[in-house]
Amino acid sequence: MKHVCSLLTLLVSASTLASEPTVEDFGKTKDGEAVQLYTLKNEKGLVAKIMTRGATLVELHAPDKDGKSADIILGWDDVAGYESEDNQYFGCTTGRVCNRIAKGKFTLDGEEYTLATNNDPNHLHGGAERSLDKVVWKATPFTNKFGQGIRFNYTSPDGEEGYPGKLKVSVSYVLANSANRLTINYKATTDKATPVNLTNHAYFNLGGAGSDTVLNHQLKLNADNYTPTDDTLIPTGKIESVEKTPLDFRKMRKIGARVEKLTETAALGYDHNFVLNSKKDNDSRYNLAAMLRDPESGRTLRISTTEPGIQFYSGNFLKGQNGKDGKTYAHRSALCLETQHFPDSVNHDSFPSTILKPGDEYMSSTSYTFGVTKEQDQKTEK
Ligand code: GAL
């Protein structure tokens, strides 16, 4: 009897497990390294495809208010697209330190480090040659009672891209089976003190990648404050209120309503780090960061994170690239919501620290929950 019961338990739990992720070849890098593309699916209609180069989200399909699915992130059909000049960090894992480091310099434990100034005069998104978006990661698919996932591992040697310490990084994408939620979990350890700040750089258009504009999308950010910057987008160190500025997204606002007020600034539109309000629910590691919706398709996206900040970037550098499926990516036709520690934290002692020490573990997690709204009256503030 006991054996029958445990067999039954085994069968029941096996039947509640999601099916295995699938894998296909995605081509080769210019150095001849093979790249694989993994597919995660759930029973609610969300499909995520992630490749081993840059642990990059290549496709993300979500249903609209009529149940029609579309790929809602920018990308390319092949590795060559991702290796081209046109790639502005589409969908990638970004690091070792995402966003900017002033003049590519920082001092740690009395030693000065110099990094690539690949966004003149600053360092951007981990460097020029071997940043985390450009290397091929090792993938391990898994399935558990919550859904399907892929864990990507990469060991960045001491000194790679100028950063100290051998950094062991893992990024797991987990697609929930019972909800339209994709969670990205980041972990890292080091053998020398080093700055770490990881994010995902997906460009979203909830109307479908290649749709004209995201200026009709509506956004709400859980942020009373932001970090003002100089003309090279490096924070001044101050933390200022969004009140009476075009950065006030405390209530749902149409993105296009005030973006032109920023076009003539150094940011060229929205390209700002918002300081997330501190957690209301102390039981949860996660904090609500952003709500995005597209009135046309009805698709919504809710982002929760363990990070203290979020960079909202309105695709100001998109320039009509030809992307996946023959689609064109026009100026401001997609946006990024990059959960992270604040830019240039390594040079600002007053910002939450990005320094990882030997013996400690870096941990970060962000969840993206997709839904639909059928509301006719989608109220926004003026
Ligand atoms: C964003 C950044 C922008 C731009 C973009 C890549 O994360 O905030 O300024 O560099 O990446 O084109």
Side-chain angles (χ1 to χ4, degrees), residues 88-89 99-100 119 124-125 201 203 233 271-272 311 313 317 336 338 340:
Q88 296 167 340
Y89 301 90
N99 216 313
R100 291 174 172 80
N119 187 246
L124 179 71
H125 293 332
H201 210 289
Y203 285 70
L233 302 191
D271 198 355
H272 299 79
Q311 181 88 9
Y313 166 59
F317 294 113
C336 302
E338 306 153 47
Q340 56 193 252

Side-chain angles (χ1 to χ4, degrees), residues 98-345:
C98 63
N99 216 313
R100 291 174 172 80
I101 294 181
K103 304 205 166 58
K105 291 215 182 289
F106 66 93
T107 302
L108 188 56
D109 294 338
E111 197 159 329
E112 187 178 76
Y113 293 91
T114 303
L115 312 170
T117 46
N118 54 325
N119 187 246
D120 195 29
N122 300 318
H123 177 78
L124 179 71
H125 293 332
E129 305 286 337
R130 301 281 302 170
S131 46
L132 297 182
D133 57 296
K134 295 180 186 69
V135 298
V136 177
W137 298 56
K138 184 177 176 298
T140 313
F142 61 88
T143 304
N144 60 30
K145 63 180 179 188
F146 303 112
Q148 303 181 327
I150 313 287
R151 190 175 65 249
F152 294 92
N153 286 92
Y154 176 68
T155 300
S156 176
D158 186 8
E160 190 166 54
E161 280 295 343
Y163 289 99
K166 173 172 155 188
L167 192 76
K168 292 187 178 173
V169 200
S170 88
V171 178
S172 300
Y173 287 80
V174 187
L175 183 61
N177 204 30
S178 56
N180 265 347
R181 188 174 59 247
L182 181 69
T183 303
I184 310 182
N185 300 312
Y186 306 83
K187 286 186 181 176
T189 54
T190 183
D191 61 1
K192 273 186 203 161
T194 193
V196 182
N197 194 6
L198 305 177
T199 192
N200 179 278
H201 210 289
Y203 285 70
F204 296 99
N205 184 320
L206 296 185
S211 307
D212 288 352
T213 182
V214 280
L215 298 184
N216 295 331
H217 282 34
Q218 300 159 356
L219 178 68
K220 186 174 173 183
L221 293 173
N222 179 25
D224 294 343
N225 296 297
Y226 75 108
T227 50
T229 62
D230 68 12
D231 281 353
T232 71
L233 302 191
I234 294 294
T236 58
K238 289 191 182 138
I239 293 195
E240 284 179 7
S241 169
V242 295
E243 194 158 345
K244 300 204 173 76
T245 78
L247 307 183
D248 190 348
F249 284 97
R250 290 174 296 179
K251 295 201 170 118
M252 196 60 115
R253 305 260 197 175
K254 186 176 161 190
I255 291 170
R258 297 161 303 165
V259 70
E260 290 310 337
K261 294 195 171 137
L262 299 167
T263 302
E264 302 296 316
T265 67
L268 307 175
Y270 289 106
D271 198 355
H272 299 79
N273 171 62
F274 290 77
V275 177
L276 294 174
N277 297 339
S278 53
K279 298 183 181 78
K280 302 235 164 30
D281 171 9
N282 287 331
D283 290 345
S284 169
R285 284 164 57 221
Y286 294 88
N287 194 9
L288 174 65
M291 288 282 303
L292 182 68
R293 65 187 184 202
D294 168 34
E296 196 67 25
S297 65
R299 287 192 189 87
T300 61
L301 165 61
R302 180 191 161 97
I303 300 181
S304 295
T305 187
T306 58
E307 287 297 310
I310 190 166
Q311 181 88 9
F312 165 38
Y313 166 59
S314 56
N316 312 309
F317 294 113
L318 291 173
K319 51 181 184 184
Q321 292 102 315
N322 291 319
K324 275 181 282 188
D325 218 11
K327 300 269 170 55
T328 303
Y329 300 148
H331 182 231
R332 295 185 183 151
S333 66
L335 59 85
C336 302
L337 289 162
E338 306 153 47
T339 54
Q340 56 193 252
H341 274 53
F342 308 164
D344 198 31
S345 287

